[in-house]
Amino acid sequence: MEQTEKSKVYAENGLLEKIKLCLSKKPLLSPTERKKFDHDFAISTSFHGIHNIVQNRSKIRKVLWLVVVLGSVSLVTWQIYSRLLNYFTWPTTTSIEVQYVEKMEFPAVTFCNLNRFQTDAVAKFGVIFFLWHIVSEVLHLRKITANSTGSTEATDFVASHQNFSIAEFIRNKGFYLDNSTLLDCDFFGKPCSPKDFGHVFTEYGNCFTFNHGETIQAKRKVSVSGRGLSLLFSVNQETFTDNPGLGFVDAGIIFAIHSPKTVPQFDGLGLLSPVGMHTRVTIRQVKTVHQEYPWGECNPNIKLQNFSNYSTSGCLKECKAQHIKKQCGCVPFLLPGNGIECDLQKYFNCVSPVLDHIELKELCTVGTHNSSCPVSCEETEYPATISYSSFPSQKALKYLSKKLNQSRKYIRENLVKIEINYSDLNYKITQQQKAVSVPELLADLGGQLGLFCGASLITIIEIIEYLFTNFYWICIFFLLKIPEMTQWTPPPQNHLGNKNRIEEC
């Protein structure tokens, strides 16, 4: 190793000695020749104003032109500095464009019953309310906590039911979608059924998504505004129930409108439709395009393992799932990923401390480019305008009571009517753009150079060539006239190798 380093040092010294020897053999220019070179450069350069300084015989004019040239150079230097300073603040502009189309892709809509569990099932397992509340905390990045009323009962239940799967229980004993809960479904004049809905787990238990997945998306398009999806639900309050102690005191349907390529979000974003009401939802489509860092905060290189399209909500779920799998050796069924499903004991003993650690250390963050889950480079949102009316009317109440063979009280307390449609067949694109691109910066700098100095890229090359030539002569001057400063003597001839090759240099 030491021998290799020494050989490198010798090679570098040998090359330096050869360069010094080559320079020492070059003739030193006389002051007259150097003065002629400077004069020729001054009168031939494309940098405006310099030849006026050199060629004018009047000293006053020389001084005036010198002031003009120095002032122009100062101004162009300040202008270039300010332009570069502005560019490296990475400024952006936002453009808004409205696109009109003949057909609009319909969004995905996920529906959940506010009463999440079947009444007869939770009558046998009353602790299920508390257990589900604990399990669903993984969606909100909060530590799983056990209150005093349900802690002992939950611990005893977990200890006595080692093989109990809460995922299977909710799937089988939670809210379901069939002809008894979905009484009517119509999409753009065509009937639809529970088969057109895909199952998904959320904090509301069993939920069902219309226009689920990328394969169905192409079929779900509307060509007339004011028409879309029309649904009639029965929440069946006697069949499904929930725990008021956990804040579930309403009856109706909660739903989220989102892109078919993203997962639904209910935390603060869900829309409510109470029983005995007709909810009319008018939506618009808004696409937002963010710039990547440093102009914006998005990172186009981030890909998700379990989702085809990037979204901050999907990224957060994957981030939490990875940390939990690494620490606990299992994956909660509410989070994406392959692995062993976490049992209830794991939620208490491992998942809870891991969630607390993730929040404390900020391991899963959202927002800036250097966070775990930066904003997506392109996202689609559906701002909604909601209006309500009492449902059904007195005459419709008689009609529905006879048609469904149910009492009027049942219809008032259980039926929910929901309509979702577009307000217009257009969508808005809000695009974040670079305020100054590289070609615009170069054009601006070139304009400043041309305006104040008449300079161009060729002028800059001329100046670089002039400075390099002067530097070359300075090196020769130091080698020939001040050898004592370098403390260097030419090596003997027998150590130089091929003499002819050195002389040719």
Side-chain angles (χ1 to χ4, degrees):
M1 184 70 180
E2 294 180 358
Q3 187 175 1
T4 305
E5 292 179 355
K6 288 181 180 179
S7 62
K8 289 182 179 179
V9 172
Y10 292 150
E12 291 177 358
N13 291 338
L15 179 61
L16 185 60
E17 289 174 355
K18 290 179 181 180
I19 294 173
K20 289 180 178 179
L21 185 60
C22 290
L23 291 175
S24 65
K25 292 183 177 295
K26 298 295 181 180
L28 184 64
L29 294 180
S30 64
T32 304
E33 291 174 325
R34 289 201 303 273
K35 198 175 281 187
K36 183 177 182 302
F37 174 78
D38 294 337
H39 182 269
D40 291 342
F41 171 78
I43 63 175
S44 63
T45 182
S46 57
F47 195 97
H48 290 189
I50 294 181
H51 65 278
N52 291 317
I53 300 174
V54 176
Q55 290 181 330
N56 269 314
R57 296 182 179 180
S58 172
K59 291 184 179 181
I60 296 176
R61 289 187 176 181
K62 281 188 176 184
V63 171
L64 289 175
W65 275 109
L66 180 62
V67 171
V68 170
V69 171
L70 291 178
S72 298
V73 171
S74 301
L75 284 172
V76 76
T77 302
W78 173 69
Q79 290 287 347
I80 290 175
Y81 171 77
S82 63
R83 296 302 191 275
L84 291 174
L85 189 66
N86 176 65
Y87 178 79
F88 286 108
T89 58
W90 317 112
T92 59
T93 58
T94 302
S95 65
I96 299 177
E97 182 181 359
V98 178
Q99 293 281 350
Y100 292 88
V101 294
E102 294 182 357
K103 290 187 177 182
M104 288 282 290
E105 294 180 352
F106 201 76
V109 190
T110 301
F111 300 91
C112 312
N113 192 342
L114 290 174
N115 292 308
R116 301 172 292 177
F117 308 104
Q118 296 180 31
T119 305
D120 57 346
V122 297
K124 301 177 182 178
F125 298 98
V127 72
I128 201 67
F129 293 114
F130 182 72
L131 292 176
W132 180 257
H133 180 69
I134 290 176
V135 169
S136 63
E137 290 294 330
V138 299
L139 295 175
H140 304 291
L141 197 61
R142 292 193 296 265
K143 182 180 179 180
I144 296 173
T145 56
N147 58 33
S148 57
T149 59
S151 176
T152 305
E153 186 181 358
T155 304
D156 295 340
F157 181 87
V158 170
S160 59
H161 295 77
Q162 296 289 337
N163 297 324
F164 182 81
S165 173
I166 194 168
E168 288 301 317
F169 180 87
I170 298 300
R171 185 184 291 272
N172 297 326
K173 302 300 181 181
F175 174 68
Y176 52 81
L177 198 68
D178 61 10
N179 293 330
S180 66
T181 54
L182 182 62
L183 303 180
D184 185 58
C185 179
D186 180 274
F187 179 73
F188 202 64
K190 295 181 180 180
C192 47
S193 67
K195 295 181 180 179
D196 296 308
F197 292 76
H199 175 270
V200 61
F201 279 122
T202 73
E203 56 264 49
Y204 289 92
N206 290 335
C207 296
F208 300 88
T209 304
F210 179 79
N211 198 19
H212 178 70
E214 297 180 2
T215 55
I216 304 178
Q217 181 190 4
K219 303 178 183 178
R220 306 299 186 187
K221 293 185 177 182
V222 294
S223 57
V224 178
S225 61
R227 294 181 63 186
L229 181 64
S230 177
L231 303 166
L232 180 61
F233 287 100
S234 175
V235 299
N236 289 347
Q237 292 195 57
E238 293 183 358
T239 306
F240 303 100
T241 187
D242 218 308
N243 187 0
L246 296 176
F248 292 89
V249 295
D250 301 324
I253 296 292
I254 184 170
F255 58 98
I257 303 172
H258 56 95
S259 170
K261 299 178 182 179
T262 60
V263 294
Q265 287 183 270
F266 285 95
D267 191 15
L269 300 175
L271 304 175
L272 291 174
S273 181
V275 294
M277 287 289 179
H278 180 178
T279 303
R280 184 182 296 273
V281 184
T282 304
I283 60 174
R284 294 178 294 110
Q285 187 179 112
V286 177
K287 294 183 178 180
T288 305
V289 179
H290 299 281
Q291 282 291 330
E292 60 185 276
Y293 183 81
W295 288 270
E297 298 295 344
C298 87
N299 186 348
N301 299 319
I302 297 182
K303 305 294 182 183
L304 301 182
Q305 298 178 359
N306 301 283
F307 302 98
S308 59
N309 290 80
Y310 176 84
S311 65
T312 53
S313 58
C315 177
L316 275 177
K317 288 183 177 182
E318 282 197 358
C319 179
K320 288 183 284 186
Q322 290 171 2
H323 286 288
I324 292 173
K325 184 178 181 180
K326 182 178 179 181
Q327 298 296 328
C328 305
C330 62
V331 179
F333 69 93
L334 286 171
L335 299 179
N338 298 322
I340 302 173
E341 180 186 325
C342 295
D343 56 31
L344 291 175
Q345 196 72 41
K346 287 279 189 180
Y347 279 98
F348 283 92
N349 299 332
C350 185
V351 177
S352 173
V354 170
L355 288 175
D356 190 34
H357 178 71
I358 291 173
E359 186 175 9
L360 182 65
K361 299 297 183 180
E362 297 183 347
L363 300 179
C364 295
T365 54
V366 179
T368 59
H369 73 281
N370 56 357
S371 61
S372 306
C373 298
V375 297
S376 57
C377 294
E378 184 175 342
E379 56 186 358
T380 304
E381 297 177 338
Y382 299 89
T385 302
I386 306 178
S387 58
Y388 298 94
S389 63
S390 181
F391 174 83
S393 64
Q394 291 293 334
K395 190 172 184 178
L397 183 61
K398 297 178 182 179
Y399 169 78
L400 289 173
S401 177
K402 184 177 180 181
K403 179 181 178 181
L404 301 177
N405 195 23
Q406 296 286 352
S407 67
R408 298 183 182 184
K409 181 181 178 182
Y410 175 88
I411 292 174
R412 287 289 191 192
E413 294 179 353
N414 291 279
L415 264 57
V416 177
K417 179 75 172 178
I418 301 175
E419 286 188 26
I420 303 174
N421 51 64
Y422 277 111
S423 58
D424 295 295
L425 292 182
N426 62 63
Y427 60 91
K428 184 186 295 183
I429 301 177
T430 304
Q431 189 168 9
Q432 190 181 37
Q433 298 175 331
K434 299 175 184 177
V436 182
S437 63
V438 174
E440 290 173 338
L441 176 65
L442 294 176
D444 196 359
L445 297 182
Q448 297 298 326
L449 284 170
L451 175 64
F452 290 100
C453 302
S456 64
L457 181 61
I458 295 177
T459 307
I460 295 174
I461 295 174
E462 289 176 355
I463 295 173
I464 293 174
E465 182 191 21
Y466 172 77
L467 295 175
F468 179 80
T469 305
N470 276 280
F471 176 76
Y472 174 75
W473 287 341
I474 289 172
C475 292
I476 296 175
F477 174 79
F478 273 94
L479 286 171
L480 295 180
K481 296 300 182 183
I482 317 177
E484 62 275 9
M485 294 181 62
T486 61
Q487 296 181 356
W488 171 79
T489 55
Q493 294 295 328
N494 57 349
H495 294 291
L496 294 178
N498 193 341
K499 182 178 179 181
N500 293 330
R501 289 176 62 188
I502 296 176
E503 289 179 352
E504 288 176 1
C505 177

